[in-house]
Amino acid sequence: MGLEFDDAFIQAEEHRPKPYISEAGGIPVIDLSPIIAGDEESFSDLVAEVGSACKNWGFFQVINHGISGELLERIHAAAREFFDLPLEEKRRVRRGEDNPLGYYDAENTKNVRDWKEVFDFVTNESTELPATEEPGEKRTDVFCNQWPEYPPEFRDACKEYSTEVERLAYKLLELISLSLGLSAKRLSSFFKDDMNFIRLNHYPPCPEPQLALGVGRHKDGGALTILFQDEVGGLDVRRKSDGEWVRVKPIPNSFIINVGDIIQVWSNDAYESVEHRVSVNSERGRFSIPFFFNPAHYTNIKPIEELTSEENPARYEQYNWGQFFKARKNSNFKKLGKENVQIYHFKKALLAN
Ligand code: OGA
Ligand code: NI
């Protein structure tokens, strides 16, 4: 038994995907081999390339990133086998109101149901979150991963993948820091008690792909996302230059990187977090695996001091990341009938502007 189509999945007309979405003129592809080569000139070109991709697109693809095709195949296979299990088996590790980690097949984005099933885990085995969304909440709850019994190699594949993808995340963070004119390690300390999590996404074939979305349009709330996708395709990115949706062409053994809301705020809008969504199709199921690079829950997010000045004052009020995350999670879990939390809610009303 899989998902059954009903009205809850139907997007408002203006958000439905067009029947054809172009892959042409898409996001930049960046070769990361200069990181390993250790040649200074090609490294500074790489920093500049990352900087302009973040500024002009908010999205890019990376190749020669150092993660083996064999490991990608292992985690992809583990995801396929897990989602292939009977629903009762998957529901043994089901997410609930008391634990946001595990299997789930009824997520909403902006109050419309997504055509997908997911499995979430944190890279540290457990994570701490504020107990409520109340400002100044000091109490926290701790959540632990729920690992399925089948397939037996699932947990090892997930653990190995998370070690490798975290290493890549720190490298990308250094490149981004350098491209903003900061020192390479300037942003790393925010991730000391990180809240990194990985999601396995399965988008089954959908009988009404023109009415529904795999994930509705949204911006990622964390710092950075590193996404693996299979060869089916369906990720659409809002192109900054003209606001059109463009499809990201799958490149075998590559990753898609995007800047999330936290980097938008840290960089004081130099790099914007860009809207994206997932289109589905009636023939082929699709798998994707995003890694969300998130700082510790207690981190207060505000523009980095060195990136603001009298001429370029801070554009955001500080906000607490754990509470922002918790508010988002709750709204994805339940239909609230109102807009969920967005970073523009923390935007300052500037006099000039
Ligand atoms: C997400 C997301 C894209 C994809 O899970 O936040 O944007 O291709 N996923 O699955
Ligand atoms: Ni996303």
Side-chain angles (χ1 to χ4, degrees):
M1 215 196 85
L3 297 174
E4 276 183 50
F5 196 84
D6 65 33
D7 288 357
F9 290 102
I10 299 180
Q11 295 283 332
E13 215 165 319
E14 70 267 31
H15 301 310
R16 293 179 197 163
K18 292 204 184 110
Y20 176 77
I21 294 163
S22 173
E23 280 182 347
I27 67 173
V29 178
I30 299 183
D31 181 345
L32 291 185
S33 47
I35 295 181
I36 303 146
D39 149 28
E40 247 172 69
E41 198 178 305
S42 60
F43 188 77
S44 64
D45 289 349
L46 172 62
V47 170
E49 242 183 298
V50 166
S52 65
C54 290
K55 193 164 182 305
N56 301 327
W57 280 91
F59 263 87
F60 52 99
Q61 272 174 297
V62 295
I63 54 170
N64 297 321
H65 41 66
I67 298 183
S68 75
E70 185 256 336
L71 181 57
L72 292 175
E73 183 40 42
R74 269 178 62 205
I75 183 129
H76 186 189
R80 282 194 307 262
E81 283 171 49
F82 172 74
F83 288 117
D84 220 17
L85 293 172
L87 193 57
E88 319 86 81
E89 192 60 38
K90 291 185 278 196
R91 287 205 166 148
R92 292 171 69 171
V93 290
R94 190 178 191 273
R95 151 181 166 184
E97 281 201 64
D98 55 340
N99 188 351
L101 301 170
Y103 173 76
Y104 198 50
D105 64 0
E107 192 161 75
N108 297 298
T109 301
K110 298 191 198 287
N111 293 320
V112 182
R113 195 164 160 199
D114 294 331
W115 186 265
K116 68 176 181 192
E117 49 180 346
V118 306
F119 178 85
D120 288 340
F121 65 98
V122 289
T123 60
N124 293 329
E125 279 307 309
S126 70
T127 197
E128 215 177 333
L129 274 181
T132 69
E133 291 169 33
E134 293 308 309
E137 174 66 78
K138 293 277 178 293
R139 291 166 306 162
T140 58
D141 294 322
V142 175
F143 302 106
C144 297
N145 285 339
Q146 310 194 68
W147 293 108
E149 218 173 306
Y150 302 102
E153 64 287 359
F154 185 85
R155 182 177 176 159
D156 279 353
C158 289
K159 297 303 285 180
E160 225 169 291
Y161 182 75
S162 68
T163 307
E164 294 289 316
V165 78
E166 258 174 1
R167 204 186 329 235
L168 176 61
Y170 280 101
K171 284 187 201 154
L172 290 164
L173 190 70
E174 289 188 17
L175 290 169
I176 288 172
S177 302
L178 290 167
S179 76
L180 286 165
L182 301 168
S183 66
K185 303 259 191 252
R186 176 65 175 90
L187 302 173
S188 309
S189 59
F190 293 113
F191 298 85
K192 192 167 76 67
D193 300 315
D194 70 71
M195 230 178 79
N196 298 339
F197 85 95
I198 294 182
R199 163 167 283 183
L200 309 180
N201 278 311
H202 176 220
Y203 305 98
C206 177
E208 302 283 358
Q210 69 288 1
L211 299 179
L213 288 167
V215 186
R217 85 210 136 87
H218 68 283
K219 300 178 182 197
D220 291 347
L224 201 65
T225 306
I226 301 182
L227 177 93
F228 166 78
Q229 67 166 340
D230 69 10
E231 71 289 356
V232 174
L235 173 63
D236 301 330
V237 170
R238 179 95 81 178
R239 185 160 55 196
K240 276 183 83 174
S241 59
D242 58 5
E244 280 299 307
W245 288 106
V246 289
R247 176 74 39 91
V248 180
K249 190 184 163 99
I251 302 177
N253 296 329
S254 69
F255 289 106
I256 297 155
I257 315 298
N258 67 293
V259 162
D261 289 345
I262 292 177
I263 287 189
Q264 174 168 332
V265 174
W266 279 342
S267 74
N268 207 29
D269 286 346
Y271 296 167
E272 280 168 314
S273 169
V274 163
E275 229 177 17
H276 53 286
R277 67 177 188 199
V278 174
S279 292
V280 286
N281 72 80
S282 55
E283 280 117 48
R284 295 181 76 187
R286 171 175 180 263
F287 294 90
S288 75
I289 308 174
F291 163 84
F292 298 100
F293 197 28
N294 294 330
H297 73 88
Y298 52 74
T299 312
N300 289 322
I301 311 293
K302 60 178 184 204
I304 299 286
E305 231 168 77
E306 303 92 294
L307 300 178
T308 63
S309 62
E310 221 167 290
E311 303 81 63
N312 180 24
R315 297 181 178 202
Y316 296 88
E317 304 287 356
Q318 115 174 348
Y319 64 93
N320 173 267
W321 159 243
Q323 272 162 339
F324 181 95
F325 181 85
K326 182 153 175 110
R328 262 294 166 85
K329 270 267 175 234
N330 285 347
S331 71
N332 291 353
F333 193 73
K334 276 189 245 168
K335 281 198 183 195
L336 296 177
K338 61 167 188 192
E339 188 186 42
N340 60 3
V341 64
Q342 303 290 336
I343 45 163
Y344 77 78
H345 297 147
F346 302 100
K347 198 123 192 179
K348 289 186 181 181
L350 295 176
L351 288 175
N353 205 343

